[in-house]
Amino acid sequence: MGSPNAYRKIQEADQERILLLSKAGFPVNRIVKVLELEKGVQPGQLPFIEKDVRNFVRTCKKTIQENDTLLTEKRENDTLEFLEACKAMAEKDFEFVYDYSTDENGKVENIAWSYGQSVCAYTMFGDVVFFDTAYHSITYGLLLGTWFGMDNHGKPILLGCVLLQDETSRSFAWAFQSFHRFMRGRQPQTIVTDMDTAIIHAVANELPNTKHVICLWHIISKLSSWFTVPLGLHYGDFRSEFEATCFLERIEEFEHQWNHLVTQYELGSDKHMVLLYTYREYWPFCYINNYFLARMVTKEFLKSMSTFLKKILSSQSCLQGFFEEIATAVSIDYQKNDDIQYTYIKTCMPVEEHARSILTPYAFSVLQNELVLSMQYEITDMPDGSYHLRHYKGLDKALVIRAEPIQCSCKAFDYSGILCRHCLRILVLKNCFQLPETYFLPRWRSDSNFYSVDNQNQQTGTDERVQAFHTLSTSLLSESIMTRERFNYVRRELSGLLENVRNMPAIIEAAVLGSLAG
């Protein structure tokens, strides 16, 4: 027989079981009894005794407490260093903005920040904002929230970031309040988010005038984890029918098909289906097709956002390193100008040539594709002056279009700002050689560019008077692009003002400059 201590070694599997029972609140003597029962041995026949278990549990608890204390201290120190980095950035760049909140003990809780270029870009492209919360585990388990916009080239623009300690409505409300302040009090027309009850409540409270859309592709990406087990071999058929239901144009059709899905697959009590239906006003196409989305819920845009974030987050292990990396990425992203792409004419129609001269290559390529496909539709004139369109293969149901002003039942222009194939078919039929200005939204025009304005502002930003003029013009831009009527009015007035200024004698210009210098 060996010494008694030789039989007191606790195997790794037993260690895990002991820790699990200890965390569940079992006292040491009961832990020993449970192990004896599980192993089918008589009392006292385990290879270790109660004292060994007690020492093991005590040692583990001490180690966990020490690690937790060290981790808490490191997180607090890193958070303070992160704030110092924000302060240093604000001293170098007066347009950089940040804010933070503290808990009841005065410890830093949440941090939000944005860049001067982002605020400037928001005045032009802040009509639709995507609040992304895909990364739930940055350093120390903090939630990273990012606000993205889309520029007139279809590229993502980082508008701001936030690090949150938790995912409660209170934290998200603080995040939206901060973003609202950063963007000078202007709310977006539409915000797109993931499906999260806390976010839904926060948006409703903090952005009451903003339309809220839950990203359909985020929902679809979760279907497998939600329904593969309960549906088994029927999951593939369910997913196909689910996606078809999502894109129905009429609410009545959606409601009917949804009830069919629930009944056919016996999902009436499924918590995910109940949740989706509860918040149906936020995600099916028939409920949101009159919200302006600027093509920000396409798979291509979601992929470009993900690529941007992965590039920054892939190698970061500390908060300050993450902050520096994202600041560098934003600076490079705003400084670069995409190479001008040459877009070829495909239809030889005058309306295509005209659109190419006004739209960015990205927006033109979308419209051009619609123009090519428009040739596949037959038209029927209706007595009331409207038109019915039908695809020659019957792929589309009859679409009602009213010509003045042109409106289509598919509502593509309402949610994307780019005319659909159905409207283009009618315009070509009516011998329209140039699209009316009202169908060229400022955000898709090639002359809608904040880069040159922003660079010029950086060069002269130290002059308070120039900065004051820049602030005024930024506010004018922000207000004028909210509606087409405002934009057309401001453009007419500014054109006249510019002409008057150009006609002023040079001596008056010199006098004005002299008075400013004084």
Side-chain angles (χ1 to χ4, degrees):
M1 295 275 302
S3 65
N5 288 335
Y7 298 94
R8 296 185 185 178
K9 180 177 177 62
I10 303 177
Q11 298 295 328
E12 185 176 345
D14 292 332
Q15 292 179 9
E16 293 178 359
R17 184 63 173 153
I18 290 169
L19 285 177
L20 183 63
L21 292 170
S22 177
K23 289 179 181 178
F26 283 66
V28 171
N29 62 331
R30 286 195 62 193
I31 291 175
V32 172
K33 290 182 180 179
V34 169
L35 290 174
E36 288 172 344
L37 289 172
E38 290 180 345
K39 291 179 178 294
V41 300
Q42 296 295 318
Q45 295 300 309
L46 291 172
F48 45 83
I49 63 175
E50 187 173 311
K51 181 180 179 181
D52 297 324
V53 176
R54 182 173 289 106
N55 289 337
F56 172 71
V57 170
R58 185 183 298 118
T59 300
C60 287
K61 285 185 176 179
K62 182 179 179 182
T63 301
I64 291 172
Q65 289 173 351
E66 289 175 350
N67 289 340
D68 285 347
T69 300
L70 290 173
L71 184 64
T72 300
E73 291 178 356
K74 190 174 188 311
R75 180 171 68 179
E76 291 176 357
N77 291 335
D78 279 7
T79 302
L80 291 176
E81 289 181 1
F82 190 95
L83 280 182
E84 288 300 320
C86 288
K87 293 177 183 177
M89 177 72 78
E91 291 174 358
K92 291 190 300 182
D93 179 4
F94 70 93
E95 291 186 319
F96 176 82
V97 286
Y98 73 99
D99 197 3
Y100 64 95
S101 64
T102 56
D103 60 19
E104 62 274 7
N105 298 317
K107 300 297 177 83
V108 176
E109 194 174 33
N110 306 310
I111 306 174
W113 69 99
S114 184
Y115 304 88
Q117 303 102 314
S118 300
V119 177
C120 181
Y122 184 84
T123 63
M124 180 69 71
F125 305 115
D127 42 14
V128 187
V129 171
F130 200 116
F131 182 59
D132 185 82
T133 52
Y135 290 89
H136 287 257
S137 183
I138 309 301
T139 306
Y140 308 117
L142 297 173
L143 172 68
L144 172 65
T146 50
W147 288 277
F148 280 98
M150 174 190 274
D151 69 9
N152 52 350
H153 294 278
K155 303 296 184 183
I157 309 170
L158 185 67
L159 299 174
C161 299
V162 64
L163 289 173
L164 301 175
Q165 295 285 350
D166 56 46
E167 301 172 46
T168 62
S169 292
R170 174 178 170 272
S171 293
F172 285 124
W174 181 86
F176 292 133
Q177 290 167 9
S178 300
F179 182 75
H180 191 235
R181 288 194 302 274
F182 294 165
M183 300 303 146
R184 300 169 182 170
R186 182 187 169 205
Q187 295 187 12
Q189 292 180 35
T190 311
I191 186 168
V192 184
T193 73
D194 196 359
M195 190 173 72
D196 184 291
T197 302
I199 293 178
I200 292 172
H201 292 162
V203 171
N205 292 329
E206 304 303 328
L207 302 172
N209 299 321
T210 296
K211 295 177 179 178
H212 186 186
V213 170
I214 293 173
C215 182
L216 176 59
W217 298 113
H218 277 191
I219 293 175
I220 290 176
S221 70
K222 297 174 182 176
L223 292 181
S224 177
S225 61
W226 288 348
F227 299 110
T228 298
V229 172
L231 295 180
L233 296 175
H234 299 292
Y235 169 72
D237 293 335
F238 166 80
R239 174 167 177 146
S240 298
E241 292 185 46
F242 182 92
E243 290 192 29
T245 303
C246 294
F247 291 101
L248 293 172
E249 293 184 1
R250 297 173 61 242
I251 293 177
E252 296 81 4
E253 293 177 344
F254 170 82
E255 295 286 344
H256 174 76
Q257 187 60 26
W258 184 268
N259 291 332
H260 171 71
L261 274 176
V262 170
T263 302
Q264 180 179 356
Y265 295 97
E266 300 179 352
L267 295 171
S269 60
D270 183 89
K271 64 179 181 180
H272 301 298
M273 290 295 279
V274 171
L275 186 66
L276 286 170
Y277 188 74
T278 300
Y279 293 116
R280 63 191 180 281
E281 64 182 281
Y282 299 100
W283 59 271
F285 180 74
C286 59
Y287 280 95
I288 64 171
N289 59 9
N290 62 335
Y291 295 1
F292 185 66
L293 293 167
R295 298 185 59 79
M296 284 184 65
V297 291
T298 62
K299 290 182 179 179
E300 293 75 18
F301 184 74
L302 295 179
K303 183 178 179 180
S304 62
M305 281 198 312
S306 178
T307 300
F308 180 92
L309 289 173
K310 285 179 179 178
K311 180 177 62 176
I312 296 169
L313 301 171
S314 58
S315 60
Q316 294 310 312
S317 58
C318 68
L319 291 178
Q320 189 169 354
F322 162 71
F323 177 75
E324 293 171 353
E325 187 71 22
I326 201 167
T328 300
V330 169
S331 178
I332 293 174
D333 203 47
Y334 279 114
Q335 287 177 8
K336 72 180 181 183
N337 284 314
D338 291 336
D339 294 334
I340 300 299
Q341 306 169 7
Y342 182 79
T343 49
Y344 294 92
I345 293 297
K346 293 182 179 180
T347 68
C348 296
M349 296 181 186
V351 68
E352 183 184 13
E353 188 75 53
H354 178 236
R356 185 175 66 169
S357 69
I358 295 177
L359 298 174
T360 63
Y362 169 79
F364 173 70
S365 67
V366 176
L367 184 137
Q368 185 184 54
N369 183 62
E370 294 296 306
L371 186 61
V372 170
L373 294 176
S374 71
M375 298 297 101
Q376 299 179 355
Y377 288 81
E378 63 178 22
I379 304 172
T380 303
D381 291 6
M382 303 303 294
D384 63 356
S386 64
Y387 302 88
H388 277 195
L389 275 78
R390 184 183 296 273
H391 191 269
Y392 81 104
K393 287 186 177 180
L395 299 178
D396 278 349
K397 296 180 180 178
L399 294 154
V400 180
I401 294 186
R402 298 191 178 278
E404 305 222 356
I406 196 161
Q407 294 177 327
C408 181
S409 63
C410 79
K411 298 185 178 180
F413 186 76
D414 292 342
Y415 62 78
S416 73
I418 298 176
L419 283 173
C420 64
R421 61 198 69 174
H422 318 111
C423 290
L424 290 169
R425 182 76 173 97
I426 299 301
L427 290 171
V428 171
L429 177 71
K430 293 170 66 69
N431 297 321
C432 180
F433 297 135
Q434 292 190 348
L435 295 179
E437 280 288 311
T438 188
Y439 299 122
F440 293 119
L441 297 191
R443 68 143 28 256
W444 294 132
R445 298 173 68 103
S446 58
D447 55 7
S448 297
N449 197 336
F450 65 89
Y451 295 105
S452 59
V453 174
D454 186 60
N455 290 338
Q456 182 180 2
N457 176 62
Q458 289 181 359
Q459 296 171 5
T460 58
T462 55
D463 190 320
E464 294 181 359
R465 288 156 293 191
V466 173
Q467 179 60 25
F469 184 83
H470 173 70
T471 301
L472 179 62
S473 61
T474 298
S475 299
L476 180 63
L477 174 61
S478 175
E479 293 294 331
S480 65
I481 65 174
M482 294 180 71
T483 66
R484 284 194 290 270
E485 290 76 15
R486 285 189 180 190
F487 175 77
N488 291 335
Y489 170 76
V490 171
R491 185 170 60 177
R492 286 195 305 270
E493 294 298 314
L494 286 180
S495 297
L497 178 62
L498 179 60
E499 188 64 25
N500 290 338
V501 170
R502 285 173 174 168
N503 291 333
M504 285 181 176
I507 188 171
I508 295 180
E509 180 182 2
V512 171
L513 292 175
S515 65
L516 285 175

